[in-house]
Amino acid sequence: MTNKKILSGTIHNLPDDLRKILAADKEMLAIWEDITPLARNEFICWIESAKKAETRSRRIRRTGEELKRGLRRPCCWVGCPHR
């Protein structure tokens, strides 16, 4: 695990469970750091809007998959309502 500060979104702070996944995968972390703060905000809000723990876990896993596939925003989500 790294002690380096991992970037958050524009409004939402990086949740600990996503931070752990990013810190454990150098490729995913590099992609995360390359997307815009607004894009990071979209992923964080999408994850935090999950109502069930299973959905949240699945969204965290999908975040990594989508980043590695080159997506810069969560697929099939209308966007953060907080901006």
Side-chain angles (χ1 to χ4, degrees):
M1 189 110 112
T2 180
N3 289 332
K4 179 184 175 222
K5 180 172 171 38
I6 299 175
L7 300 173
S8 286
T10 54
I11 297 171
H12 299 287
N13 293 320
L14 188 64
D16 289 336
D17 47 0
L18 179 56
R19 180 184 318 278
K20 288 177 187 175
I21 298 299
L22 291 168
D25 188 323
K26 289 182 182 181
E27 178 187 5
M28 189 187 325
L29 178 57
I31 298 167
W32 178 262
E33 303 259 319
D34 186 56
I35 62 177
T36 67
L38 185 57
R40 289 191 297 268
N41 192 73
E42 296 291 315
F43 276 111
I44 294 168
C45 187
W46 177 59
I47 290 166
E48 291 193 332
S49 68
K51 293 178 180 64
K52 296 182 179 179
E54 301 84 31
T55 304
R56 183 182 181 99
S57 294
R58 186 176 63 247
R59 288 181 181 180
I60 290 173
R61 180 184 44 78
R62 274 190 54 198
T63 294
E65 293 169 357
E66 291 181 4
L67 287 170
K68 288 180 178 181
R69 283 196 341 252
L71 297 177
R72 311 223 9 121
R73 295 277 202 287
C75 176
C76 310
W77 190 61
V78 296
C80 177
H82 306 102
R83 55 183 169 113

